[in-house]
């Protein structure tokens, strides 16, 4: 029997532009320009990405364009497409934390997510759901950002475990971020440490509902608030040696 | 029949075989799941996946050849299908079988894979390169018993025209190649295990080893195109084998029953065996099936 407390799932509202990351540790009365996430030196005046983390000779290899919010089709088609997207969720099979261990039982005969049209996909290019499995160290965040940007939209993020929501037991760790939704947009949170596979599946069910209702537009949110997300990422990832946007 | 009308009917039959090929893929996924004690995805899952992939809002390309890879692949699939008569004695479902023979069909089976190899190579992912090398090596190996089998039945029926071969098998199941030339059929059916790329010959996609293989970098519409081709190519291969070895079909229900039966052979083998390594797979094809194929040719030459 699944207890209600195991299925405590929250629907995440997009963070407003004015939210200040707790890590910033700055006085809110200071001028906004002094906050690191208002630092936009990494892009030029016409919003082209400079890719300054890369060696000079490699910059040409990567695109300097920012992601643009995608246009949706007309309403009836979009509803149909959303139904298809919800019934064909391909999960990126990257274990980004200890919570990823709860994903393995989902593909076994006991839970069998394939009956819901879901399957594991080994490459971010083909996946549509990114499951953040627990605590995110800064080293992992770099890979998460890279993989998330390589996924083709519409893409969805499910954050599993307490650590991805508020840092959990790593809340005062020097190398672990606290809220994953300051770095990539999150659609559904599944709380628990660890949440049972049933809770993770309930999270996916919630995600399906959001997709079918047309509310899971994390891709567009990321494109619209690209500066905010990028500044947050650059604030914690000190050794930024990758393109500013990974096409 | 005018050329325009033939084209229209060819594309109608292409639609039929695509739907049937994809449904078969869905049925097979269900069967594999039941063997593993799972419920498995719904039978229509391949269709939903294709629609979802085509409805992706973004897609990236790595260059011209990357773009052309899936196009060559689907051209190979459609090309294979277009020169195979689907229903014997039915003018609407004969496609363009009078314009080309068995050798052209064999060429088209190769063509798509080569195009895909070039496209996947430009993707630049190491898994793609490994899988392409494996795929081409294995394909070369299983083409040997298949070609020997084709040579054997070409000698037997004195023709490379698929319609002639089907016509010679009419009049009861004992006239099927399966009973008149069993060695050629055995060699070809083993070659088909390699073509269908289920276990033990799942080297190319190789889940858990080089996940996805050639299409690792393919996404969105490209992947949709590749998945559609999987339906067409599956259907085309099964219809070809049905025509060559199992007496062809004169109506759609017989076609569905026979192709389903032929496909189930590779599914049963796939569900029961683990995967070969690349060198073992190639050695296997060049050993027993090739020997059986040579015997089949020698018997009919004498």
């Amino acid at each position: 029997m699944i207890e209600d407390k195991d299925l405590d799932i929250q629907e995440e509202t997009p963070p407003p532009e004015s939210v200040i990351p707790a890590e910033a540790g700055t006085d809110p009365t200071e001028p906004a320009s002094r906050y690191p996430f208002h630092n936009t030196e990494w892009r030029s005046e016409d919003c082209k990405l400079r890719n300054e983390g890369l060696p000079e000779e490699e910059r040409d290899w990567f695109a300097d364009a920012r992601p643009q919010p995608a246009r949706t089709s007309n309403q009836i088609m979009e509803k149909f497409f959303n139904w298809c997207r919800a019934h064909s969720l391909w999960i990126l099979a990257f274990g980004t934390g200890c919570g990823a261990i709860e994903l393995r039982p989902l593909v076994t005969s006991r839970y069998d997510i394939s009956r819901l049209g879901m399957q594991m996909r080994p490459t971010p290019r083909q996946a549509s759901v990114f499951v953040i499995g627990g605590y995110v160290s800064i080293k992992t965040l770099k890979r998460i950002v890279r993989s998330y940007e390589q996924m083709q939209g519409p893409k969805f993020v499910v954050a599993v475990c307490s650590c991805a929501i508020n840092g959990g037991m790593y809340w005062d760790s020097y190398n672990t971020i606290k809220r994953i939704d300051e770095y990539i947009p999150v659609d559904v949170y599944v709380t628990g440490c660890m949440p049972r596979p049933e809770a993770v599946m309930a999270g996916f069910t919630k995600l399906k509902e959001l997709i079918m209702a047309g509310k899971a537009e994390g891709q567009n949110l990321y494109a619209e608030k690209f500066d905010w997300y990028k500044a947050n990422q650059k604030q914690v990832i000190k050794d930024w040696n990758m393109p500013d946007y990974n096409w | 029949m005018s050329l325009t009308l033939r084209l229209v009917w060819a594309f109608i039959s292409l639609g039929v075989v695509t739907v049937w090929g994809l449904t078969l893929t869905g049925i097979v996924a269900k069967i594999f799941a039941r063997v593993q004690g799972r419920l498995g995805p719904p039978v229509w899952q391949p269709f939903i996946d294709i629609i979802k992939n085509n409805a992706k809002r973004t897609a990236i390309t790595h260059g011209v050849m990357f773009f052309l890879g899936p196009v060559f692949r689907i051209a190979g699939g459609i090309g294979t299908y277009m020169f195979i008569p689907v229903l014997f004695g039915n003018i609407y479902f004969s496609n363009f079988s009078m314009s080309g023979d068995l050798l052209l069909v064999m060429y088209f089976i190769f063509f798509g894979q080569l195009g895909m190899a070039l496209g996947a190579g430009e993707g630049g992912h190491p898994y793609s390169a490994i899988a392409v090398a494996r795929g081409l090596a294995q394909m070369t190996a299983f083409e040997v018993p298949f070609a020997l089998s084709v040579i054997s039945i070409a000698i037997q029926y004195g023709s490379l025209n698929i319609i002639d071969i089907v016509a010679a098998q009419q009049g009861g199941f004992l006239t099927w190649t399966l009973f008149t030339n069993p060695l050629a059929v055995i060699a070809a059916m083993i070659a088909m295990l390699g073509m269908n790329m289920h276990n033990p010959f799942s080297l190319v996609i190789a889940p858990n080893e080089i996940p996805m293989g050639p299409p690792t970098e393919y996404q969105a519409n490209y992947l949709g195109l590749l998945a559609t081709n999987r339906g067409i190519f599956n259907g085309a291969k099964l219809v070809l084998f049905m025509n060559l070895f199992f007496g062809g079909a004169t109506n759609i229900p017989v076609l569905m029953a026979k192709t389903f039966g032929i496909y189930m052979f590779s599914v049963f083998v796939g569900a029961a065996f683990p995967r070969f390594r690349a060198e073992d797979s190639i050695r296997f094809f060049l050993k027993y099936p090739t020997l059986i194929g040579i015997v089949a040719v020698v018997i009919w030459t004498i």
Side-chain angles (χ1 to χ4, degrees):
Chain A
M1 192 61 194
I2 308 165
E3 290 179 31
D4 281 344
K5 65 182 170 56
D6 288 338
L7 304 177
D8 185 11
I9 292 150
Q10 305 161 2
E11 188 181 327
E12 176 60 21
T13 47
E17 191 95 46
S18 59
V19 165
I20 300 162
E23 295 94 332
T26 44
D27 184 356
T29 55
E30 286 184 34
S33 59
R34 294 186 60 179
Y35 295 135
F37 54 86
H38 286 284
N39 175 6
T40 49
E41 283 169 8
W42 48 274
R43 62 172 170 80
S44 60
E45 285 302 312
D46 56 348
C47 288
K48 293 276 183 206
L49 306 177
R50 288 187 175 161
N51 289 333
E52 279 174 336
L54 296 167
E56 191 80 47
E57 66 273 15
E58 286 182 15
R59 284 182 201 167
D60 284 350
W61 300 356
F62 297 93
D64 58 359
R66 296 151 58 88
Q68 297 298 326
R71 263 185 246 132
T72 52
S73 326
N74 71 54
Q75 215 173 1
I76 298 168
M77 286 305 284
E78 194 61 22
K79 271 189 178 168
F80 173 62
F81 288 154
N82 279 339
W83 182 88
C84 292
R85 283 162 192 153
H87 287 84
S88 168
L89 292 176
W90 289 2
I91 304 169
L92 179 55
F94 280 1
T96 59
C98 45
I101 202 77
E102 297 295 327
L103 292 178
R104 277 34 173 185
L106 294 182
V107 290
T108 60
S109 50
R110 180 164 178 143
Y111 298 103
D112 186 27
I113 48 168
S114 73
R115 70 200 152 89
L116 306 173
M118 298 162 74
Q119 53 174 292
M120 295 289 187
R121 225 54 193 181
T123 158
R125 294 283 188 215
Q126 297 171 1
S128 56
V129 184
F130 200 165
V131 178
I132 307 295
Y135 75 95
V136 178
S137 68
I138 290 164
K139 206 171 171 181
T140 317
L141 179 66
K142 206 168 157 184
R143 277 76 184 169
I144 288 177
V145 168
R146 237 186 145 154
S147 305
Y148 178 75
E149 289 177 351
Q150 283 183 5
M151 286 163 68
Q152 302 302 310
K155 45 194 171 183
F156 319 107
V157 178
V158 177
V160 176
C161 295
S162 311
C163 301
I165 300 168
N166 57 11
M169 62 186 279
Y170 300 99
W171 68 276
D172 57 352
S173 169
Y174 67 97
N175 67 347
T176 308
I177 57 137
K178 290 178 185 62
R179 286 183 58 184
I180 184 65
D181 76 329
E182 283 166 1
Y183 306 95
I184 54 172
V186 178
D187 295 292
V188 173
Y189 284 116
V190 182
T191 60
C193 181
M194 325 271 263
R196 295 223 5 111
E198 289 95 332
V200 181
M201 283 182 77
F204 286 133
T205 313
K206 181 73 191 174
L207 176 65
K208 279 186 169 188
E209 285 168 15
L210 289 176
I211 296 171
M212 283 194 278
K215 290 179 183 168
E217 291 291 346
Q219 181 204 8
N220 286 350
L221 184 71
Y222 191 72
E224 283 159 14
K225 298 186 180 300
F226 186 66
D227 285 352
W228 189 79
Y229 282 115
K230 201 46 70 178
N232 283 351
Q233 293 161 7
K234 293 211 173 214
Q235 189 192 340
V236 291
I237 302 175
K238 300 298 179 198
D239 56 335
W240 188 281
N241 55 358
M242 57 184 185
D244 286 332
Y245 185 70
N246 299 277
W247 283 94
Chain B
M1 208 181 342
S2 72
L3 184 64
T4 325
L5 210 53
R6 280 176 74 179
L7 260 176
V8 170
W9 275 106
F11 277 96
I12 289 174
S13 86
L14 183 68
V16 171
V17 85
T18 311
V19 171
W20 177 232
L22 289 173
T23 312
L24 271 180
T25 319
I27 294 173
V28 168
K30 195 89 183 164
I31 290 174
F32 275 126
R34 296 317 288 258
V35 170
Q36 292 160 2
R38 297 184 285 118
L39 279 176
V43 171
W44 50 86
Q45 190 63 42
F47 296 95
I48 302 180
D49 289 345
I50 287 175
I51 295 169
K52 181 207 75 169
N53 277 324
N54 284 317
K56 285 269 184 189
R57 291 178 189 151
T58 52
I60 54 131
T61 177
H62 289 282
V64 178
M65 208 54 227
F66 184 84
F67 185 82
L68 287 177
V71 177
F72 279 176
R73 193 84 171 92
I74 203 160
I78 296 175
T80 311
Y81 182 68
M82 280 296 164
F83 294 104
I84 301 174
V86 185
L87 295 180
F88 177 70
N90 186 327
I91 50 165
Y92 302 112
F93 278 85
S94 350
N95 292 342
F96 293 93
S97 52
M98 298 309 281
S99 326
D101 59 12
L102 196 44
L103 290 182
L104 189 67
V105 172
M106 284 180 73
Y107 165 74
F108 267 117
I109 292 178
F110 243 121
F111 175 79
Q113 313 244 14
L114 290 173
M116 183 63 200
L118 291 172
E122 197 170 25
H125 200 285
Y127 286 164
S128 300
I130 295 171
V132 163
R134 286 177 172 198
L136 291 180
Q138 181 173 277
M139 190 169 65
T140 316
F142 72 64
E143 281 283 319
V144 175
F146 183 58
L148 285 168
S149 161
V150 166
I151 292 169
S152 174
I153 61 168
I155 300 168
Q156 180 189 356
Y157 296 116
S159 170
L160 275 168
N161 189 333
I162 303 174
I163 290 187
D164 290 349
I165 294 173
V166 183
Q169 296 176 62
Q170 300 305 308
F173 67 90
L174 283 177
T175 55
W176 292 1
T177 318
L178 176 65
F179 296 103
T180 54
N181 191 355
L183 289 179
V185 179
I186 292 170
M189 289 305 276
I190 297 174
M192 192 191 71
L193 293 179
M195 278 186 208
N196 282 344
M197 287 192 285
H198 290 138
N199 282 341
F201 304 108
S202 57
L203 293 173
V204 182
I205 303 286
N208 316 334
E209 192 184 332
I210 45 164
M212 293 320 298
T216 307
E217 276 292 305
Y218 280 102
Q219 14 71 37
N221 327 30
Y222 305 106
L223 199 63
L225 207 57
L226 288 174
T228 313
N229 172 67
R230 193 171 289 176
I232 297 173
F233 202 55
N234 249 345
K237 269 185 305 194
L238 293 172
V239 171
L240 177 69
F241 272 73
M242 179 193 74
N243 280 338
L244 293 183
F245 307 119
F246 298 93
T250 47
N251 54 47
I252 296 275
V254 172
L255 176 128
M256 286 166 74
K258 281 187 179 176
T259 47
F260 183 79
I262 298 168
Y263 201 27
M264 280 311 110
F265 169 65
S266 74
V267 171
F268 283 148
V269 175
F273 285 94
R275 187 186 309 136
F276 265 138
R277 289 191 304 185
E279 62 269 32
D280 291 339
S281 158
I282 291 161
R283 225 172 266 154
F284 172 84
F285 278 121
L286 295 180
K287 223 186 268 175
Y288 304 110
T290 306
L291 276 177
I292 297 170
I294 291 172
V295 174
V297 173
V298 169
I299 288 176
W300 283 95
T301 320
I302 299 168

